[in-house]
Amino acid sequence: QSQLLRSAANPAHPLNHFMTGNSETLRDGPAREGVDVRAALLRFHQQYYSANLMRLVLVGRETPEELLRMAHRHFARVADRGASVPQDEALGGGV
């Protein structure tokens, strides 16, 4: 919800800019621990960016058929990797 608000804000306003993390959490801290943030993000994307874990909601004036065509046109290439939601230890003791 907050990301939606940020993306809708005036591009000249600071609220419109990326606000998750900072140089300590995204660069300095991981570097001290020997963590390659980019590689970790790519691994996360490969493992969890999967159609079977996503939901899409479309709202518009278009007919349901047109909305379906639009969804297919823009999202059909998202691969279904058969991913599962991480549980317990994979979340650091979460869920």
Side-chain angles (χ1 to χ4, degrees), residues 29-71:
R32 279 193 302 275
E33 296 178 26
V35 174
D36 180 341
V37 174
R38 183 178 187 281
L41 287 171
L42 290 172
R43 278 192 308 275
F44 182 89
H45 183 274
Q46 180 68 28
Q47 186 170 0
Y48 298 113
Y49 194 85
S50 179
N52 69 299
L53 297 180
M54 298 178 183
R55 302 296 178 264
L56 176 66
V57 176
L58 296 174
V59 177
R61 291 182 220 147
E62 296 80 0
T63 65
E65 294 78 14
E66 180 58 22
L67 289 172
L68 185 59
R69 281 192 294 276
M70 291 168 65

Side-chain angles (χ1 to χ4, degrees), residues 44 47-48 84-95:
F44 182 89
Q47 186 170 0
Y48 298 113
S84 58
V85 175
Q87 299 290 321
D88 300 326
E89 293 306 313
L91 289 174
V95 185

